[in-house]
Structures are given as structure tokens and as C-alpha cells.
Amino acid sequence: MSEGNAAMITRDDVIDFIYAETRMLDEGRYTEWLDLWLPDAVYWMPLDYKQADPVNATSFLYEDNFMLRLRVERLNGERTFSQKPKSRCNHVIQRPFVDVFDPEAGKFQTVTNMHYVETRLDEQQLLALTVTHDLALVGGAFRIAGKKVELLNCDAAFGNIQLLP
Amino acid sequence: MNANDIRAMIQPAQVHRDVYISDAVYQLEMRHLFTNAWIFVGHDSQTPNKGDYITTQVGDQPVIMVRHTDGEVKVLYNRCPHKGTKIAIDRAGNTGKFFRCPYHAWSFKTDGCLLAIPLKKGYEGTGLSDSQNGKGMQAVGAVHNYRGFVFARLAEAGIGFDDFFGGSLSSIDNMVDRAPEGRVEISGPPLRYMHKCNWKMLVENQTDTCHPMVAHESSAGTAVKIYEQMGNPEPRPPAMQIIAPFMSPYEFFEDMGIRTWPNGHGHTGVNMSIHSNYDAIPGYFEAMVESYGAERAKAILDENRHNTVYFPNIMIKAPLTQLRNFIPLGADRTLVESYVYRLVGAPEQLTAMSAMYNRMINAPTSIVGHDDLEMYERAQEGLHAEGMQWVDIRRLHTGPEDFETEAVENGTTERQMRNQFHAWAKFMTMSMEDAAGVAAE
């Protein structure tokens, strides 16, 4: 991506960013991943199918910057018992739809279907996701302004989902 | 297994590990404990209109809770009297004036009474109308709606609702009184969290005040550390209000106090609790004063009980208008449903706070829940060790205890766990025969 030149940004740049972000999660590069986020951005995983209100009804996740940082630091803690041994994850992603592409305003939105696999010890689970990214262009680089991860089977009962789908 | 075998599993300060891992004990729990005791079904705001229903379980029994045409809430077994087909399968819906089985179109009023059978002449002279199946859908033994919370007793005869719960109803009262209009309503679907462990481990953990600072150090301790690195900014991040108090020292939990009531009920947070220090929500106290007057409003809000266990298998947090239902699916399998309620007449920020707590603590994605589940599942596996057969619950047990009277003790006692097991043996064996083949009283 061309530094600082909005006119040069292509849809492929937006799509590449989504792939790169997903790869960071799969490779556990969380510090790098946290740096992608704008300070007031929120990671939302709704509980209800087509849930509209993230605040007054329960969600799986509605994580501000503090909570995301806490989540990441905890994963590496000495006494994080549920991560001894650690979980691993893998995303298989479909090519993102770029639904909003506005380089002049620095605003982009993508919708990406993914299959998310998380494993630990003898357990492995598969989740089907629809992920909506809101991206902003800040100083020539994409930042995450919001991320919504919708589970296809959001109304099912789950055991632990420990990493970030 | 007879009544004597069951009683032998419970000693004053220890319980046999089979109460957690034996499939036979689980089956007996379903047929006796969960049949004799009053079990939570749902909240009546889940079925506000006539014909509204939810499907759920009482113990292992499939039931429908439905608003009947007379406005009362009924609890029926979810089984067609014909072939056994579940009448309703969706978790919530409206059935109109009657249920209709999708298999052969037998239909029933919303109190279960048989309404119609197609080609009914085929049953003339067969005796159907005199049989149990010919009456319609079976209702549970008894139903009681307490301030919106609906409980059922499967057994036709047994202990009355007020005798069973006694003084413990003061926690539900406090939760509902926190609404300026004196009622609560459900807010969204529950979190559904599957645990590969026995249901009693979850119930015991509700009054286990010696685990938060250990098991949850990785979440609560890290939150405190990050906050300090940030320079302790005000206002606090919401996570600091909710998660950080888990790191309170042992002395704090000792001072919280534990109260036990007869029949296995009890609560932590007699004097104060980890829920005492939340930021005030603008306009809430004023709304409470308007409804109750200043003195009564203050008394309601000064009561900050932590976890109230309603034996056998729910917990409520009155200050956060939450309820957790520990549904036993097997000796080693428990479904936890965590509900949030809205305080009618209060600012919406209170609901937001409850929803936040629910997702931060009770979700399958919760960094607090992860470590709890890890402990339960390790215990479920570890209890199979043959070398040691007993589970220890003797903290602050120094002599004989009387569970038939209310008591308040040091907040780190395991008395409430002992209280639960005392009630467990009582409700397990009251409908069993003892070794001599004599039915218990």
C-alpha cells in the first residue's frame, strides 16, 4: 500500500489487510494485532442472531481497548490455568466483500465469511463466522475501527472459546 | 442404591466422590431430588401474553412453561400423550389458544387438557378417555410464581413452596425491589455455557470465597496490573469495576459473611460484597426514592448480597439482577444458562451493567469463566483417582452444625456447601426405601 496516498489505495489493499489481520491471530502475534486497533474501537461478538443492541442485552464479547489488552496479556500469564497448555487456532477465510470503499473519507467496510478452528488437548471445535470489519485510514495505514464477529450457531451451547475467532 | 447408601455418602465434613461421578447417583438425583424439591423453570416475562411459551428442563424432564388463557403460567411435560412426541421444540414461541401435536394433530388447551383428536370415532369403545393418555398433556405436580420467578415441583405431593424456601426469598425480594416499579423483565436470551462436570461443583463454587484470588489471578490480577500501568485513570474502565474486585484479599471475603437457611439455601455477602462499590447510575436513586421513600430506598440499595444459592440448582445476584441456572444433563455434564433482567422503571444503564457483567464473567468467551471451567473439568477427571475417595468440605467446621436454623458465619466457611449436602441427602432419601425396604417418612 502506498504510504499517505489515498488515491493509490485499491480494493486489493483492503482485502490484503483482512488476510494479514487474520494471519496475526492464527500465529499468535497479539501485540502486533493490538496495534491495529483504534483506541475507541470495539470487538463485538453478538449472542443473539441479528442482534441489534450490544449494550442492554448480553453479548459473547463487547470488548473495548482495555478488555482486549487484558485478554491478550492474560494469554501469556504465568498463572493462566486454562491456557496450560495453550490453545491454537486457524481461520479459513473467503475473499472479503468490500462493501464500503471510500479512500477520500478514509472509510472502508468488509464482510468476510470464515471457518474458525480452535483446539486444545483432545478438543477441537469449528465455528462458522461472518466478520464485519470497519477500517479507517490513519497516516496512510489501515486501522481497525470496529469488528463484529457473528457466529452462525450463536444460539448453541459452547464450552470454552478461549482465543479470538 | 437405597436411602442408607445415599446417607452414607454424606459425612459432616466430607462427601464421597461418587456424588459427583456416579451415573447411578445422577439418575437417583433426577428421580428423587429434582422431583421432591422446587426447581426454577423460568421468568413470567418470558411468556407475557396468552399462548406464549418457552421450552426448558426441570432436572432431566422436558417441560413447557406456557401462559394459559386464564392468564396463569402453567408448566406441562413436553410430551404428546399419544406417541411421546415433543409438542414444542423451539425455545420460545406463541401457540395461540391451543397446542397441536405435529405428528397426528392431537390438540390440547394451554393447561394441557385434551381438546380434539382427528377421526376420534376410532377411539370409541377403546377406553382411551378413561386412560391417563386420554386426559391430555400431563402437568407437573405443583407450580408457584414468586414475584415473576416460576418454580415447579414435579412430585404431586410434598413440601410447600414457602416451607421449602423460607427466609431465602428475601434475596429475590431484594432483586425485584430494586426496580422502582417493583418488577423485573427478561433482557435478551441467556448465555448458554456447556460444562463437562457435575452440576454440584458449579453450585458449590457460588459460595466458594477462597478461589477468586487464586483461580482468577490471571484475569483480575492482570486487570489491576494494566490499570496501574495506565496510571489509575478515572473514571475506571468498566472491567475494573467488575473484574478487579475478584482480587480482593482473603480478609475481605471473610468479612463479607455467609448466611445459610434451611433446605440448602444460602448466600455470600451478608455485610457487603464485591458488588458494593459500583459507580452510581445518574437518576436511579431518585427514581427509587420516588417509589419507596428515601429510607426504604436506601435500605434496599444498601443490601449488596453477592451470590444467593437457591437449592438445588440456581444462583441469583440481586444487585446485578442476574440468575444462573445449572441444568444437570448427566453426572459429568451441566448446561449453565445465565440470564439478565431489566429493572422496570430504572435507567437503562443498570441493564447495560448487568449485561456487561454477564459477558465478562459468565460467557463461554469469558476470561474469568475459562479458569472456573478449567478447575471443574480437572476436578471431574481427578475425582476418578481411586487412592482417595472423599472430598473435603471442612473449612471452619469445628463441631456439630444445625442446618434447620438460619445462621451467619465468617465469609470463608464451607458451611453453605455442607448445608447443601445436608439438604441433598434429605430430598434424595425422602421418597426412597431404606435398607430394610421401608419407605421413608
Side-chain angles (χ1 to χ4, degrees):
Chain A
M1 182 169 57
S2 311
E3 282 291 322
N5 190 347
M8 297 292 287
I9 291 200
T10 68
R11 285 172 182 264
D12 273 353
D13 291 330
V14 179
I15 291 166
D16 285 349
F17 176 85
I18 302 300
Y19 276 91
E21 190 241 352
T22 306
R23 186 176 180 183
M24 283 181 198
L25 290 173
D26 289 351
E27 294 178 355
R29 290 185 280 133
Y30 290 112
T31 309
E32 213 176 319
W33 180 77
L34 275 180
D35 289 340
L36 298 178
W37 287 75
L38 289 176
D40 56 352
V42 174
Y43 182 120
W44 182 27
M45 188 188 293
L47 171 61
D48 205 2
Y49 189 67
K50 305 292 181 194
Q51 182 175 338
D53 183 350
V55 174
N56 294 311
T58 306
S59 300
F60 287 111
L61 297 171
Y62 190 69
E63 309 267 288
D64 61 11
N65 192 265
F66 184 89
M67 280 300 291
L68 287 178
R69 191 173 155 192
L70 170 55
R71 190 170 284 275
V72 163
E73 290 208 13
R74 175 185 169 277
L75 284 176
N76 294 318
E78 276 299 303
R79 289 178 172 166
T80 304
F81 307 113
S82 76
Q83 283 296 291
K84 290 180 180 297
K86 288 184 184 299
S87 304
R88 294 188 290 269
C89 73
N90 181 278
H91 292 79
V92 177
I93 84 172
Q94 199 178 56
R95 187 173 191 273
F97 297 102
V98 182
D99 286 350
V100 175
F101 183 78
D102 189 346
E104 287 306 313
K107 288 188 172 177
F108 310 87
Q109 188 181 70
T110 62
V111 173
T112 315
N113 288 316
M114 307 187 184
H115 283 185
Y116 172 77
V117 179
E118 185 176 302
T119 185
R120 179 174 178 256
L121 293 169
D122 290 329
E123 301 288 331
Q124 178 164 290
Q125 62 182 323
L126 170 66
L127 301 172
L129 319 172
T130 299
V131 182
T132 304
H133 282 85
D134 285 300
L135 304 180
L137 202 57
V138 180
F142 290 119
R143 303 282 295 278
I144 300 172
K147 181 173 178 177
K148 180 166 75 167
V149 178
E150 294 171 282
L151 302 183
L152 185 64
N153 62 339
C154 57
D155 41 10
F158 298 101
N160 279 347
I161 302 171
Q162 296 210 50
L163 302 180
L164 287 154
Chain B
M1 242 179 273
N2 60 39
N4 288 340
D5 298 326
I6 292 294
R7 288 189 199 102
M9 293 178 180
I10 310 300
Q11 294 185 359
Q14 59 182 8
V15 296
H16 194 270
R17 59 95 187 260
D18 280 357
V19 304
Y20 302 99
I21 65 171
S22 159
D23 292 331
V25 170
Y26 169 78
Q27 293 299 334
L28 290 171
E29 286 178 332
M30 296 303 104
R31 296 293 75 77
H32 294 279
L33 170 59
F34 279 81
T35 302
N36 295 325
W38 285 87
I39 309 296
F40 174 73
V41 183
H43 191 268
D44 73 359
S45 64
Q46 293 173 271
T47 57
N49 304 308
K50 291 172 183 175
D52 285 348
Y53 66 87
I54 60 165
T55 59
T56 181
Q57 286 181 215
V58 171
D60 64 350
Q61 296 297 291
V63 298
I64 300 177
M65 181 179 105
V66 59
R67 183 79 65 167
H68 186 45
T69 42
D70 66 359
E72 295 295 309
V73 172
K74 306 287 183 187
V75 180
L76 311 171
Y77 287 98
N78 190 358
R79 178 218 197 270
C80 181
H82 182 205
K83 296 284 191 180
T85 312
K86 275 186 168 179
I87 297 291
I89 197 85
D90 38 2
R91 295 195 183 123
N94 182 290
T95 193
K97 289 199 167 101
F98 60 92
F99 288 111
R100 180 178 183 273
C101 180
Y103 198 177
H104 300 94
W106 288 29
S107 60
F108 314 92
K109 294 179 191 171
T110 46
D111 61 358
C113 290
L114 183 69
L115 192 61
I117 296 176
L119 202 61
K120 199 167 184 182
K121 64 184 179 190
Y123 288 102
E124 283 171 11
T126 63
L128 176 73
S129 57
D130 297 326
S131 72
Q132 185 190 16
N133 304 56
K135 306 296 182 213
M137 292 167 68
Q138 179 83 24
V140 299
V143 176
H144 192 97
N145 181 343
Y146 187 79
R147 303 195 70 177
F149 293 87
V150 178
F151 293 82
R153 189 192 65 217
L154 296 179
E156 289 294 329
I159 189 168
F161 180 86
D162 291 330
D163 285 343
F164 182 70
F165 286 116
S168 71
L169 293 170
S170 55
S171 287
I172 291 181
D173 286 339
N174 183 253
M175 183 197 283
V176 180
D177 287 346
R178 285 168 170 268
E181 293 184 21
R183 63 197 167 90
V184 301
E185 291 177 350
I186 192 152
S187 184
L191 287 160
R192 304 178 71 245
Y193 196 171
M194 193 64 78
H195 286 56
K196 282 191 263 181
C197 70
N198 188 271
W199 63 277
K200 294 186 289 299
M201 291 183 185
L202 280 137
V203 180
E204 285 166 43
N205 194 58
Q206 306 310 308
T207 61
D208 182 322
T209 50
C210 288
H211 87 283
M213 67 297 284
V214 181
H216 302 308
E217 182 184 338
S218 70
S219 46
T222 306
V224 171
K225 197 181 77 189
I226 294 175
Y227 184 60
E228 280 169 4
Q229 286 167 358
M230 291 166 70
N232 304 320
E234 293 286 343
R236 296 176 287 176
M240 285 304 296
Q241 287 190 59
I242 288 174
I243 298 180
F246 285 61
M247 278 312 278
S248 304
Y250 288 108
E251 295 71 29
F252 178 92
F253 289 99
E254 289 190 300
D255 293 343
M256 261 174 43
I258 283 181
R259 177 183 281 120
T260 69
W261 293 285
N263 296 326
H265 317 299
H267 81 96
T268 42
V270 176
N271 307 308
M272 47 80 200
S273 76
I274 60 169
H275 305 314
S276 295
N277 190 27
Y278 294 151
D279 295 346
I281 305 282
Y284 177 45
F285 186 67
E286 291 76 2
M288 288 292 285
V289 170
E290 180 123 343
S291 292
Y292 295 103
E295 194 179 337
R296 172 103 178 94
K298 191 168 181 312
I300 293 167
L301 298 178
D302 280 349
E303 187 81 45
N304 281 302
R305 295 181 184 184
H306 172 224
N307 293 340
T308 299
V309 169
Y310 286 102
F311 182 79
N313 69 322
I314 64 165
M315 179 277 278
I316 71 163
K317 283 184 182 295
L320 283 160
T321 47
Q322 289 187 2
L323 183 148
R324 303 186 75 201
N325 190 7
F326 308 108
I327 302 172
L329 302 182
D332 58 358
R333 206 166 156 82
T334 306
L335 173 62
V336 185
E337 293 190 335
S338 299
Y339 290 88
V340 165
Y341 303 96
R342 177 190 309 113
L343 295 165
V344 180
E348 273 292 318
Q349 291 100 302
L350 278 112
T351 317
M353 180 75 174
S354 298
M356 184 187 300
Y357 189 98
N358 209 22
R359 68 174 179 262
M360 283 186 182
I361 310 298
N362 299 331
T365 39
S366 160
I367 55 176
V368 175
H370 289 160
D371 284 314
D372 279 327
L373 178 56
E374 177 75 11
M375 297 309 132
Y376 305 141
E377 293 186 347
R378 287 192 193 192
Q380 191 71 31
E381 293 179 17
L383 285 175
H384 284 81
E386 287 296 331
M388 197 174 282
Q389 302 269 319
W390 295 86
V391 174
D392 192 275
I393 49 170
R394 81 182 70 225
R395 179 180 283 280
L396 296 177
H397 177 270
T398 50
E401 291 175 304
D402 174 14
F403 296 114
E404 299 309 318
T405 54
E406 184 180 321
V408 173
E409 292 192 2
N410 179 305
T412 57
T413 182
E414 288 171 341
R415 177 186 164 98
Q416 170 55 17
M417 300 174 202
R418 297 188 288 270
N419 186 34
Q420 285 160 202
F421 278 109
H422 178 80
W424 184 86
K426 173 179 170 183
F427 288 94
M428 279 289 271
T429 57
M430 63 170 43
S431 48
M432 279 182 187
E433 294 185 347
D434 64 22
V438 180
E441 285 181 16

